[in-house]
Amino acid sequence: MADRAANAVIAKYSTSFGLATRLLAGPLRRDIRNLYAMVRIADEIVDGTAAQAELNDIPAALAAYEHQVRQAPKQRFHTDPVIHAYAQTARRCHFRDAHVEAFFASMRRDLHQSEYSDDSLEDYIYGSAEVIGLLCLAAFYADIEVSEEKYAELEHGARSLGAAFQKVNFLRDFREDTARLGRNYYEILDNQAKDEIIASIRGDLEAAHAVIPDLPDSARTGVLAATLLFEELTDRLAEVDAAELHRRRIRVPGRRKALLLARAVKGARR
């Protein structure tokens, strides 16, 4: 029941991610969805829903949720099914508490920080996205032994892919972040700035692609599918004028997503 509850959260929040996770092997698919369900609930606390519900003390709510999540693996029963599902996965996959702590540190920044320097944005991306890649990697290799040298290479790829995903989201969610949430991850978004961000994303995606062939069979197809989907988004973002990002969110049509998923299945087998 808890696993199904986590799956329902993901199905409602992200069609692209939900499609990509279908290409993961069964047990791994469960663990990645359990992780992301917890992440989505944390996002809800800081991204406006708690405010719309007139929650009096949102920072306290986030702190309470962080405590619940970080203590969850130590307990074997939880009344919240998403927390219960996450706790089972965290124990199975030996998630590092430092990674979870870094994630919540970035979530807290969304409550009080509206502008970022290059250094502070790098720290934010690490906590909001790169550590999620590292937690996914821990799930991929929960039952697989690999040398420290190889795992370090895989970690670089995982962090790069997480960073790419976050930067893509910064661009396509630019209007909502600035207009509704009052966040300026990039001080200026003109065509020159956009081109520099696109170049950075493509560098991250290239680093991620380099390690995808080394991933276990259970993960390779799903990760390749997610990478291809975000490459498509990157290409579409590159084609539009920066001013367009101030007006609308760039999307990948459903038919195109299906084609990319089929390409991932074929590419992973090769």
Side-chain angles (χ1 to χ4, degrees):
M1 181 276 292
D3 291 339
R4 288 184 178 182
N7 183 35
V9 171
I10 294 304
K12 288 294 184 181
Y13 274 102
S14 176
T15 56
S16 296
F17 179 76
L19 287 171
T21 59
R22 292 182 186 179
L23 300 179
L24 299 170
L28 179 57
R29 182 190 315 128
R30 170 204 61 205
D31 286 330
I32 297 301
R33 287 174 172 174
N34 288 351
L35 167 62
Y36 269 84
M38 179 278 288
V39 168
R40 288 305 316 172
I41 299 301
D43 281 341
E44 281 300 282
I45 297 174
V46 302
D47 279 353
T49 302
Q52 291 170 12
E54 299 180 351
L55 192 65
N56 291 328
D57 194 339
I58 294 175
L62 182 64
Y65 191 64
E66 177 183 3
H67 178 77
Q68 189 179 13
V69 167
R70 293 176 63 186
Q71 293 299 312
K74 302 174 185 178
Q75 303 174 31
R76 303 192 69 84
F77 178 79
H78 302 273
T79 55
D80 180 334
V82 171
I83 291 290
H84 187 80
Y86 168 78
Q88 290 180 310
T89 285
R91 284 194 298 272
R92 271 193 299 264
C93 302
H94 307 289
F95 286 165
R96 289 179 56 188
D97 182 64
H99 292 155
V100 182
E101 181 182 21
F103 166 70
F104 278 98
S106 286
M107 293 300 97
R108 276 193 298 278
R109 282 187 161 188
D110 277 336
L111 294 178
H112 64 79
Q113 187 168 351
S114 59
E115 296 182 356
Y116 288 82
S117 65
D118 290 343
D119 289 341
S120 62
L121 185 61
E122 184 176 328
D123 289 342
Y124 176 85
I125 292 173
Y126 172 75
S128 65
E130 293 182 27
V131 295
I132 304 302
L134 295 174
L135 291 169
C136 288
L137 190 66
F140 297 165
Y141 284 89
D143 300 313
I144 301 173
E145 292 187 6
V146 64
S147 70
E148 290 185 8
E149 181 180 4
K150 174 54 68 175
Y151 199 77
E153 294 176 7
L154 294 165
E155 285 184 317
H156 176 66
R159 289 184 61 176
S160 297
L161 190 57
F165 288 179
Q166 183 62 283
K167 293 170 193 174
V168 167
N169 286 333
F170 284 157
L171 289 181
R172 67 173 182 163
D173 293 337
F174 184 81
R175 180 176 180 274
E176 181 178 6
D177 286 339
T178 55
R180 187 174 74 84
L181 300 175
R183 298 175 191 156
N184 295 294
Y185 297 109
Y186 298 112
E187 183 177 357
I188 298 173
L189 187 62
D190 55 18
N191 283 326
Q192 180 179 347
K194 189 201 72 167
D195 290 345
E196 291 174 357
I197 298 165
I198 292 292
S200 176
I201 292 169
R202 286 180 167 153
D204 289 331
L205 290 171
E206 183 178 354
H209 262 298
V211 302
I212 289 177
D214 296 329
L215 293 176
D217 293 344
S218 58
R220 191 182 310 120
T221 307
V223 174
L224 181 57
T227 304
L228 292 177
L229 285 168
F230 274 80
E231 282 184 338
E232 177 74 14
L233 271 170
T234 302
D235 290 342
R236 289 172 180 262
L237 289 164
E239 291 172 356
V240 301
D241 191 274
E244 191 70 16
L245 302 180
H246 292 255
R247 294 190 291 268
R248 67 184 180 95
R249 191 173 193 261
I250 304 301
R251 301 179 182 275
V252 177
R255 186 173 297 180
R256 180 63 178 167
K257 288 180 182 178
L259 178 62
L260 292 171
L261 293 180
R263 184 182 298 174
V265 172
K266 185 177 180 179
R269 287 174 178 170
R270 287 205 303 271

